[in-house]
Amino acid sequence: MFTIRNFENELEFFQDMLYESIHILENKPSKEVLLNSPDIRKYHEGWGRKGDKALIAVDAENKTVGAVWYRLFDDNNKSYGYIDGNTPEIGMAVSKEVRGRGVGTLLMQNIIQQARDEGYNAISLSVDLENSSAIHIYQKLGFKDYEVVGTSKTMIYKF
């Protein structure tokens, strides 16, 4: 049994999940190096600004096991899954020990509802083309292909 709650200043766990969400199969840099690279730093630097939202999944023992978040970007600071300045980009990761047990789907359903409740017209995400299991889940939830850039696919969910 997993429950979802609002992010409560768990920045270290959030950064752990951000690191996990970056799909690099071989020679993945350390957490410190990767999260401080210019292309990735924008996803967590100054967290808590307007448009930032994160949800945390916890298990029956109240242990954090996953997170989903979104953030707004703009034309001057585009993200991998950038659509426009009014479409938040989602990121998500689930701890290895609970993958395949529905935590990711539960997190995504909750963040989709959160974005809808906050009045957004759409949300986006970027996923590695080789991450077929994630792509399948996103398609099942209603995300549609938007564009392919390099080795990543941008997908969009419209309300």
Side-chain angles (χ1 to χ4, degrees):
M1 175 73 179
F2 301 99
T3 55
I4 306 298
R5 63 175 171 74
N6 283 318
F7 175 81
E8 296 171 359
N9 297 320
E10 294 133 315
L11 197 54
E12 178 130 358
F13 180 71
F14 169 68
Q15 289 179 337
D16 289 345
M17 292 293 96
L18 176 58
Y19 179 75
E20 284 298 316
S21 75
I22 302 165
H23 191 76
I24 299 174
L25 297 177
E26 295 179 9
N27 302 316
K28 189 172 185 176
S30 71
K31 176 182 160 188
E32 183 178 333
V33 168
L34 188 57
L35 294 187
N36 286 305
S37 67
D39 288 344
I40 302 300
R41 189 173 46 235
K42 68 179 84 181
Y43 286 94
H44 65 86
E45 195 169 57
W47 184 264
R49 68 184 194 204
K50 183 175 171 35
D52 289 351
K53 183 66 180 184
L55 302 174
I56 305 287
V58 296
D59 65 12
E61 288 80 43
N62 207 35
K63 180 183 176 217
T64 52
V65 295
V68 64
W69 56 90
Y70 58 68
R71 180 166 241 196
L72 291 169
F73 295 93
D74 60 38
D75 287 335
N76 297 320
N77 188 29
K78 293 181 180 179
S79 57
Y80 285 105
Y82 182 76
I83 304 282
D84 61 44
N86 297 313
T87 304
E89 181 184 347
I90 290 179
M92 183 191 65
V94 175
S95 300
K96 289 177 184 158
E97 64 270 12
V98 298
R99 288 184 188 155
R101 296 176 50 196
V103 176
T105 299
L106 184 63
L107 282 164
M108 289 299 288
Q109 289 169 334
N110 277 267
I111 203 75
I112 289 167
Q113 186 61 51
Q114 180 71 42
R116 179 181 285 132
D117 291 348
E118 289 186 6
Y120 292 107
N121 295 319
I123 50 178
S124 68
L125 58 82
S126 176
V127 60
D128 190 287
L129 291 169
E130 294 184 14
N131 195 346
S132 57
S133 59
I135 291 170
H136 176 74
I137 290 168
Y138 301 145
Q139 288 171 334
K140 197 171 153 185
L141 287 165
F143 282 83
K144 306 289 184 208
D145 292 356
Y146 182 77
E147 68 179 348
V148 173
V149 177
T151 61
S152 298
K153 176 188 290 203
T154 299
M155 300 180 79
I156 189 167
Y157 183 104
K158 294 183 179 181
F159 300 113

